[in-house]
Amino acid sequence: MEKKNCYILGIESSCDDTAAAVINNGVILSNIVATQKIHEEYGGVVPELASRAHQQNIVPVVTQALKRANINKNELKAIAFTRGPGLMGSLLVGTSFSKSLAFGLDIPLLDVNHMQAHILAHFINTEGKKPPSFPFIALTISGGHTQIVKVSHYFEMEILGETIDDAVGEAFDKSAKILGLTYPGGPLIDKHAQNGDPKKFKFPKPKVAPLDFSFSGLKTSVLYFIERNVAENPNFIKENMDDICASLQYTIVSYIMDKLKNAVKITGINEIAIGGGVSANSGIRKALEEAETTYGWKVHIPKFEYCTDNAAMIAIVGELKFKNGIFANQSVSANARMRY
Ligand code: KG4
Ligand code: ZN
Protein backbone atom coordinates (compact mmCIF):
# COMPACT_ATOMS: atom_id res chain seq x y z
CA MET A 1 0.00 0.00 0.00
CA GLU A 2 1.29 3.46 -0.84
CA LYS A 3 1.98 5.77 2.08
CA LYS A 4 0.27 9.17 2.12
CA ASN A 5 2.63 12.06 1.44
CA CYS A 6 3.81 13.79 4.59
CA TYR A 7 6.23 16.56 3.63
CA ILE A 8 8.16 18.07 6.54
CA LEU A 9 10.63 20.95 6.20
CA GLY A 10 13.73 20.84 8.40
CA ILE A 11 15.75 23.98 9.18
CA GLU A 12 19.23 24.08 10.76
CA SER A 13 21.04 27.26 11.84
CA SER A 14 22.89 26.38 15.05
CA CYS A 15 26.42 27.36 14.01
CA ASP A 16 27.85 28.46 10.65
CA ASP A 17 25.78 26.42 8.19
CA THR A 18 22.37 27.59 7.03
CA ALA A 19 20.51 24.48 5.91
CA ALA A 20 17.06 23.34 4.82
CA ALA A 21 15.76 19.90 3.79
CA VAL A 22 12.46 18.27 2.88
CA ILE A 23 11.62 14.76 4.06
CA ASN A 24 8.72 12.53 3.06
CA ASN A 25 8.21 9.27 5.01
CA GLY A 26 11.90 8.84 5.85
CA VAL A 27 13.10 9.76 2.36
CA ILE A 28 15.10 12.98 1.90
CA LEU A 29 13.84 14.87 -1.14
CA SER A 30 16.23 17.82 -0.84
CA ASN A 31 19.15 18.72 1.40
CA ILE A 32 20.54 22.22 0.89
CA VAL A 33 23.46 23.66 2.88
CA ALA A 34 24.95 27.14 2.57
CA THR A 35 28.31 27.01 4.33
CA GLN A 36 29.46 30.41 5.48
CA LYS A 37 32.89 31.12 4.01
CA ILE A 38 33.30 34.44 5.84
CA HIS A 39 34.78 32.72 8.93
CA GLU A 40 37.79 31.29 7.06
CA GLU A 41 39.67 34.58 7.18
CA TYR A 42 39.20 34.76 10.99
CA GLY A 43 40.36 31.19 11.65
CA GLY A 44 37.14 30.28 13.46
CA VAL A 45 33.42 31.03 13.65
CA VAL A 46 32.59 34.66 14.54
CA PRO A 47 29.10 34.51 16.15
CA GLU A 48 27.92 37.97 15.07
CA LEU A 49 28.92 37.34 11.45
CA ALA A 50 27.29 33.89 11.54
CA SER A 51 23.98 35.35 12.68
CA ARG A 52 24.06 37.98 9.95
CA ALA A 53 24.90 35.43 7.26
CA HIS A 54 22.01 33.19 8.42
CA GLN A 55 19.64 36.13 7.93
CA GLN A 56 20.88 36.56 4.37
CA ASN A 57 20.85 32.85 3.54
CA ILE A 58 17.73 31.48 5.13
CA VAL A 59 15.11 32.54 2.55
CA PRO A 60 17.13 31.43 -0.50
CA VAL A 61 18.10 28.13 1.18
CA VAL A 62 14.49 27.27 2.11
CA THR A 63 13.26 28.31 -1.34
CA GLN A 64 15.88 26.08 -2.93
CA ALA A 65 14.97 23.13 -0.68
CA LEU A 66 11.29 23.35 -1.65
CA LYS A 67 12.16 23.74 -5.31
CA ARG A 68 14.56 20.77 -5.30
CA ALA A 69 11.89 18.65 -3.56
CA ASN A 70 9.47 19.80 -6.23
CA ILE A 71 6.81 20.87 -3.76
CA ASN A 72 4.94 24.03 -2.88
CA LYS A 73 5.12 25.42 0.68
CA ASN A 74 1.36 24.87 1.03
CA GLU A 75 1.96 21.12 0.78
CA LEU A 76 4.10 21.11 3.97
CA LYS A 77 2.61 19.28 6.98
CA ALA A 78 4.99 20.70 9.61
CA ILE A 79 8.22 22.68 10.19
CA ALA A 80 11.08 21.22 12.21
CA PHE A 81 13.88 23.50 13.40
CA THR A 82 17.02 23.34 15.55
CA ARG A 83 16.17 24.82 18.94
CA GLY A 84 19.63 24.19 20.44
CA PRO A 85 22.36 23.71 21.48
CA GLY A 86 24.41 26.20 19.49
CA LEU A 87 25.20 29.88 19.12
CA MET A 88 22.31 32.01 20.39
CA GLY A 89 22.41 34.55 17.56
CA SER A 90 22.46 31.77 14.97
CA LEU A 91 19.69 29.72 16.62
CA LEU A 92 17.44 32.79 16.85
CA VAL A 93 17.39 33.20 13.07
CA GLY A 94 16.20 29.63 12.38
CA THR A 95 13.82 29.65 15.34
CA SER A 96 12.05 32.89 14.50
CA PHE A 97 11.93 32.09 10.79
CA SER A 98 10.40 28.66 11.50
CA LYS A 99 7.86 30.05 13.95
CA SER A 100 6.71 32.68 11.46
CA LEU A 101 6.49 30.23 8.58
CA ALA A 102 4.53 27.68 10.64
CA PHE A 103 2.24 30.45 11.88
CA GLY A 104 1.69 31.76 8.35
CA LEU A 105 0.95 28.30 6.95
CA ASP A 106 -1.03 27.29 10.05
CA ILE A 107 0.90 24.02 10.48
CA PRO A 108 2.61 22.49 13.55
CA LEU A 109 6.11 23.31 14.76
CA LEU A 110 8.60 20.64 15.85
CA ASP A 111 11.59 21.67 17.97
CA VAL A 112 14.74 19.60 17.51
CA ASN A 113 17.82 19.07 19.65
CA HIS A 114 20.84 19.34 17.34
CA MET A 115 22.77 16.62 19.19
CA GLN A 116 19.88 14.16 19.02
CA ALA A 117 19.65 14.96 15.32
CA HIS A 118 23.30 13.99 14.70
CA ILE A 119 22.41 10.60 16.21
CA LEU A 120 19.00 10.09 14.61
CA ALA A 121 20.44 10.92 11.16
CA HIS A 122 21.10 7.17 11.05
CA PHE A 123 17.35 6.64 10.61
CA ILE A 124 17.15 8.51 7.30
CA ASN A 125 16.26 5.98 4.57
CA THR A 126 19.56 5.34 2.82
CA GLU A 127 20.06 2.74 0.14
CA GLY A 128 22.34 -0.08 1.23
CA LYS A 129 22.31 0.95 4.90
CA LYS A 130 20.36 -0.54 7.78
CA PRO A 131 19.65 1.74 10.76
CA PRO A 132 21.17 0.79 14.14
CA SER A 133 19.05 -1.32 16.46
CA PHE A 134 18.33 -0.24 20.04
CA PRO A 135 20.17 -0.01 22.32
CA PHE A 136 23.31 1.34 20.67
CA ILE A 137 26.22 3.61 21.52
CA ALA A 138 26.46 6.90 19.62
CA LEU A 139 29.69 8.83 19.27
CA THR A 140 29.19 12.42 18.13
CA ILE A 141 32.40 14.11 17.10
CA SER A 142 32.48 17.55 15.52
CA GLY A 143 33.80 21.09 15.86
CA GLY A 144 31.29 21.77 18.61
CA HIS A 145 30.77 18.45 20.35
CA THR A 146 32.34 15.23 21.54
CA GLN A 147 29.94 12.87 23.30
CA ILE A 148 29.36 9.20 23.97
CA VAL A 149 25.64 8.55 24.29
CA LYS A 150 23.63 5.45 25.14
CA VAL A 151 20.60 5.39 22.84
CA SER A 152 17.83 3.17 24.21
CA HIS A 153 15.12 4.52 21.90
CA TYR A 154 14.55 7.49 19.57
CA PHE A 155 14.08 9.96 22.41
CA GLU A 156 15.62 7.97 25.24
CA MET A 157 19.24 9.02 25.29
CA GLU A 158 21.75 9.21 28.10
CA ILE A 159 25.07 11.02 27.85
CA LEU A 160 27.67 8.61 29.23
CA GLY A 161 30.65 10.85 28.67
CA GLU A 162 31.73 14.03 26.93
CA THR A 163 34.58 16.44 26.57
CA ILE A 164 35.43 18.51 29.61
CA ASP A 165 37.00 21.25 27.46
CA ASP A 166 37.54 21.43 23.67
CA ALA A 167 35.66 19.33 21.12
CA VAL A 168 37.68 16.92 18.98
CA GLY A 169 37.13 19.04 15.85
CA GLU A 170 38.57 22.01 17.73
CA ALA A 171 41.63 19.92 18.62
CA PHE A 172 42.12 19.24 14.92
CA ASP A 173 41.43 22.85 13.88
CA LYS A 174 43.53 24.52 16.59
CA SER A 175 46.48 22.19 15.98
CA ALA A 176 46.15 22.89 12.26
CA LYS A 177 46.27 26.62 12.98
CA ILE A 178 49.52 26.15 14.93
CA LEU A 179 50.88 24.35 11.85
CA GLY A 180 49.88 27.31 9.68
CA LEU A 181 47.06 25.43 7.90
CA THR A 182 43.87 27.26 6.88
CA TYR A 183 40.54 26.95 8.74
CA PRO A 184 38.94 24.46 9.15
CA GLY A 185 42.17 22.49 9.34
CA GLY A 186 40.74 19.05 10.25
CA PRO A 187 40.42 17.84 6.65
CA LEU A 188 43.92 19.18 5.87
CA ILE A 189 45.51 17.31 8.77
CA ASP A 190 43.74 14.20 7.48
CA LYS A 191 45.13 14.77 3.99
CA HIS A 192 48.73 15.26 5.17
CA ALA A 193 48.39 12.31 7.54
CA GLN A 194 47.86 9.92 4.61
CA ASN A 195 51.52 10.37 3.61
CA GLY A 196 53.10 10.49 7.06
CA ASP A 197 54.49 8.19 9.73
CA PRO A 198 51.98 7.98 12.63
CA LYS A 199 54.65 6.78 15.08
CA LYS A 200 57.26 9.47 14.29
CA PHE A 201 56.25 11.86 17.09
CA LYS A 202 54.51 11.15 20.38
CA PHE A 203 51.78 13.33 21.86
CA PRO A 204 50.20 12.76 25.29
CA LYS A 205 46.69 11.36 25.78
CA PRO A 206 45.01 13.31 28.61
CA LYS A 207 43.80 11.27 31.56
CA VAL A 208 40.18 11.91 32.54
CA ALA A 209 37.20 9.71 33.54
CA PRO A 210 36.89 6.54 31.38
CA LEU A 211 34.16 7.92 29.11
CA ASP A 212 35.11 11.61 29.15
CA PHE A 213 37.47 13.43 26.84
CA SER A 214 39.91 16.31 27.20
CA PHE A 215 41.68 17.97 24.29
CA SER A 216 42.98 21.30 25.57
CA GLY A 217 46.21 19.72 26.88
CA LEU A 218 46.89 18.16 23.50
CA LYS A 219 46.63 21.53 21.79
CA THR A 220 49.08 23.03 24.29
CA SER A 221 51.53 20.17 23.86
CA VAL A 222 51.40 20.62 20.07
CA LEU A 223 52.13 24.31 20.55
CA TYR A 224 55.17 23.67 22.80
CA PHE A 225 56.40 20.86 20.57
CA ILE A 226 56.30 23.13 17.51
CA GLU A 227 57.85 26.12 19.30
CA ARG A 228 60.69 23.96 20.62
CA ASN A 229 61.49 22.42 17.27
CA VAL A 230 61.09 25.57 15.20
CA ALA A 231 63.57 27.33 17.53
CA GLU A 232 66.15 24.72 16.47
CA ASN A 233 65.10 24.43 12.83
CA PRO A 234 62.97 27.20 11.26
CA ASN A 235 61.91 24.75 8.51
CA PHE A 236 60.78 22.07 10.97
CA ILE A 237 57.06 22.30 10.12
CA LYS A 238 57.58 22.30 6.37
CA GLU A 239 60.02 19.39 6.49
CA ASN A 240 57.85 17.29 8.81
CA MET A 241 54.27 18.31 8.01
CA ASP A 242 53.09 14.84 6.94
CA ASP A 243 54.64 13.07 9.94
CA ILE A 244 53.37 15.67 12.42
CA CYS A 245 49.83 15.36 11.01
CA ALA A 246 49.97 11.55 10.93
CA SER A 247 51.23 11.40 14.54
CA LEU A 248 48.66 13.87 15.75
CA GLN A 249 45.82 12.06 13.98
CA TYR A 250 47.05 8.72 15.31
CA THR A 251 46.98 10.12 18.88
CA ILE A 252 43.45 11.52 18.52
CA VAL A 253 42.06 8.41 16.80
CA SER A 254 43.55 5.99 19.31
CA TYR A 255 42.27 8.18 22.17
CA ILE A 256 38.74 8.02 20.72
CA MET A 257 39.04 4.26 20.20
CA ASP A 258 40.19 3.81 23.83
CA LYS A 259 37.04 5.62 24.98
CA LEU A 260 34.80 3.51 22.74
CA LYS A 261 36.40 0.32 24.07
CA ASN A 262 35.63 1.59 27.60
CA ALA A 263 32.02 2.29 26.58
CA VAL A 264 31.57 -1.20 25.11
CA LYS A 265 33.06 -2.74 28.22
CA ILE A 266 30.94 -0.70 30.65
CA THR A 267 27.60 -1.03 28.81
CA GLY A 268 28.00 -4.44 27.19
CA ILE A 269 26.67 -2.86 23.95
CA ASN A 270 28.83 -3.34 20.87
CA GLU A 271 26.76 -1.57 18.25
CA ILE A 272 28.29 1.84 17.55
CA ALA A 273 26.93 4.70 15.43
CA ILE A 274 29.03 7.76 14.72
CA GLY A 275 28.11 11.26 13.60
CA GLY A 276 29.43 14.82 13.32
CA GLY A 277 31.95 16.34 10.91
CA VAL A 278 34.98 14.52 12.32
CA SER A 279 33.35 11.21 11.24
CA ALA A 280 34.75 12.11 7.85
CA ASN A 281 38.25 11.50 9.18
CA SER A 282 39.90 8.63 7.31
CA GLY A 283 41.80 7.46 10.41
CA ILE A 284 38.69 7.12 12.54
CA ARG A 285 36.78 5.39 9.72
CA LYS A 286 39.58 2.89 9.24
CA ALA A 287 39.92 2.22 12.97
CA LEU A 288 36.17 1.60 13.27
CA GLU A 289 36.10 -0.69 10.26
CA GLU A 290 38.99 -2.67 11.74
CA ALA A 291 37.13 -2.89 15.07
CA GLU A 292 34.32 -4.72 13.28
CA THR A 293 36.70 -7.58 12.52
CA THR A 294 38.96 -7.33 15.56
CA TYR A 295 36.34 -6.88 18.28
CA GLY A 296 33.16 -7.97 16.48
CA TRP A 297 31.57 -4.51 16.82
CA LYS A 298 28.74 -3.48 14.55
CA VAL A 299 29.62 -0.03 13.25
CA HIS A 300 27.35 2.52 11.53
CA ILE A 301 28.88 5.41 9.60
CA PRO A 302 26.37 7.71 7.91
CA LYS A 303 26.71 9.20 4.45
CA PHE A 304 29.08 12.17 4.63
CA GLU A 305 26.36 14.74 3.86
CA TYR A 306 24.48 13.53 6.95
CA CYS A 307 27.62 13.67 9.15
CA THR A 308 28.39 17.38 8.95
CA ASP A 309 25.80 19.95 10.02
CA ASN A 310 22.76 19.57 7.77
CA ALA A 311 18.98 19.92 7.83
CA ALA A 312 18.17 16.38 6.68
CA MET A 313 18.94 15.23 10.22
CA ILE A 314 16.61 17.93 11.60
CA ALA A 315 13.89 16.80 9.20
CA ILE A 316 14.13 13.12 10.26
CA VAL A 317 13.83 14.06 13.95
CA GLY A 318 10.90 16.31 13.01
CA GLU A 319 9.23 13.40 11.25
CA LEU A 320 9.78 11.06 14.23
CA LYS A 321 8.30 13.69 16.57
CA PHE A 322 5.40 14.36 14.19
CA LYS A 323 4.51 10.67 14.02
CA ASN A 324 4.73 10.42 17.81
CA GLY A 325 2.67 13.57 18.39
CA ILE A 326 5.47 15.53 20.11
CA PHE A 327 4.87 19.14 19.05
CA ALA A 328 6.20 22.55 20.08
CA ASN A 329 4.06 25.67 20.12
CA GLN A 330 4.51 29.33 19.22
CA SER A 331 5.89 30.16 22.67
CA VAL A 332 9.00 27.99 22.08
CA SER A 333 12.33 29.86 22.19
CA ALA A 334 15.88 29.04 21.14
CA ASN A 335 17.99 27.35 23.83
CA ALA A 336 21.76 27.71 23.35
CA ARG A 337 22.52 25.21 26.12
CA MET A 338 19.78 22.69 25.37
CA ARG A 339 20.40 19.21 26.86
CA TYR A 340 18.54 16.00 26.08
O1 KG4 B 1 29.70 18.69 12.19
P1 KG4 B 1 30.51 19.81 11.62
O2 KG4 B 1 30.36 20.13 10.15
O3 KG4 B 1 30.18 21.14 12.34
C1 KG4 B 1 30.14 21.28 13.72
O4 KG4 B 1 31.21 21.57 14.28
O5 KG4 B 1 29.06 21.09 14.32
O6 KG4 B 1 32.04 19.51 11.96
C2 KG4 B 1 33.08 20.34 11.54
C3 KG4 B 1 34.36 19.84 12.15
C4 KG4 B 1 35.53 20.80 11.96
O7 KG4 B 1 36.22 20.91 13.18
C5 KG4 B 1 36.39 20.09 10.90
O8 KG4 B 1 37.75 20.40 10.99
C6 KG4 B 1 36.13 18.65 11.24
O9 KG4 B 1 34.74 18.60 11.54
N1 KG4 B 1 36.45 17.74 10.13
C7 KG4 B 1 37.48 16.86 10.16
C8 KG4 B 1 37.49 16.21 8.90
N2 KG4 B 1 36.45 16.71 8.16
C9 KG4 B 1 35.83 17.64 8.93
N3 KG4 B 1 38.37 16.58 11.13
C10 KG4 B 1 39.28 15.64 10.86
N4 KG4 B 1 39.37 14.97 9.68
C11 KG4 B 1 38.50 15.22 8.68
N5 KG4 B 1 38.58 14.55 7.54
ZN1 ZN C 1 26.75 19.58 14.68
Side-chain angles (χ1 to χ4, degrees):
M1 198 181 73
E2 247 194 39
K3 275 190 187 158
K4 246 172 72 184
N5 283 332
C6 178
Y7 300 114
I8 294 175
L9 174 69
I11 293 177
E12 155 65 29
S13 75
S14 66
C15 189
D16 60 341
D17 294 302
T18 319
V22 176
I23 195 167
N24 184 26
N25 293 310
V27 178
I28 296 296
L29 302 182
S30 62
N31 186 25
I32 309 293
V33 184
T35 300
Q36 304 174 1
K37 293 279 174 213
I38 180 97
H39 308 288
E40 276 175 19
E41 55 193 279
Y42 297 93
V45 178
V46 184
E48 178 55 33
L49 296 179
S51 172
R52 235 180 284 165
H54 282 305
Q55 290 175 38
Q56 283 164 357
N57 293 343
I58 197 149
V59 173
V61 164
V62 168
T63 307
Q64 183 76 14
L66 293 172
K67 198 170 159 202
R68 193 70 66 83
N70 205 14
I71 62 158
N72 183 291
K73 64 179 184 308
N74 297 312
E75 293 176 81
L76 291 171
K77 287 278 184 294
I79 315 266
F81 69 98
T82 305
R83 183 178 174 207
L87 300 170
M88 196 50 169
S90 292
L91 290 166
L92 278 173
V93 179
T95 305
S96 40
F97 179 88
S98 304
K99 283 167 73 172
S100 320
L101 188 58
F103 185 72
L105 295 172
D106 197 18
I107 53 175
L109 260 181
L110 305 151
D111 64 322
V112 174
N113 178 309
H114 179 91
M115 298 307 299
Q116 277 190 337
H118 270 301
I119 296 170
L120 296 175
H122 288 274
F123 293 90
I124 293 170
N125 272 8
T126 309
E127 223 183 291
K129 283 195 195 294
K130 257 178 75 176
S133 43
F134 300 114
F136 63 90
I137 300 285
L139 171 75
T140 40
I141 40 177
S142 78
H145 13 82
T146 306
Q147 284 184 337
I148 294 180
V149 181
K150 180 180 168 187
V151 187
S152 302
H153 207 262
Y154 296 121
F155 299 108
E156 247 177 79
M157 301 188 187
E158 184 194 350
I159 300 171
L160 300 179
E162 61 191 325
T163 181
I164 58 165
D165 41 53
D166 291 349
V168 59
E170 277 180 285
F172 271 107
D173 296 342
K174 289 179 178 173
S175 303
K177 200 171 172 184
I178 296 168
L179 298 173
L181 300 170
T182 52
Y183 176 86
L188 298 173
I189 292 198
D190 193 3
K191 207 164 147 215
H192 283 287
Q194 323 267 335
N195 308 314
D197 173 3
K199 301 276 175 70
K200 177 83 178 277
F201 304 110
K202 245 185 130 39
F203 296 103
K205 289 190 205 169
K207 286 191 179 53
V208 286
L211 301 182
D212 282 340
F213 299 82
S214 167
F215 288 104
S216 67
L218 179 65
K219 172 191 68 195
T220 315
S221 77
V222 172
L223 181 65
Y224 290 159
F225 166 80
I226 293 297
E227 279 179 357
R228 209 168 50 238
N229 283 286
V230 168
E232 280 173 23
N233 169 13
N235 292 325
F236 177 77
I237 297 180
K238 218 167 121 203
E239 287 167 11
N240 294 281
M241 185 65 106
D242 291 348
D243 292 339
I244 301 169
C245 289
S247 303
L248 193 59
Q249 182 158 308
Y250 174 79
T251 308
I252 295 176
V253 170
S254 65
Y255 187 52
I256 291 173
M257 292 306 289
D258 289 348
K259 299 294 175 179
L260 281 179
K261 279 180 226 163
N262 292 343
V264 170
K265 202 166 156 201
I266 291 168
T267 61
I269 300 168
N270 68 355
E271 188 153 353
I272 317 267
I274 65 165
V278 182
S279 317
N281 184 267
S282 63
I284 190 85
R285 284 178 174 244
K286 192 159 163 264
L288 284 166
E289 278 159 17
E290 280 169 9
E292 290 204 308
T293 348
T294 318
Y295 308 119
W297 294 359
K298 202 161 175 203
V299 174
H300 300 265
I301 305 177
K303 268 171 79 174
F304 182 64
E305 60 192 294
Y306 302 148
C307 278
T308 52
D309 282 353
N310 67 87
M313 67 182 192
I314 306 304
I316 184 73
V317 181
E319 183 178 291
L320 289 165
K321 285 198 156 183
F322 186 87
K323 293 191 168 161
N324 286 285
I326 311 170
F327 298 104
N329 61 41
Q330 282 288 333
S331 67
V332 67
S333 52
N335 180 351
R337 298 187 172 277
M338 191 176 184
R339 300 289 281 182
Y340 292 117

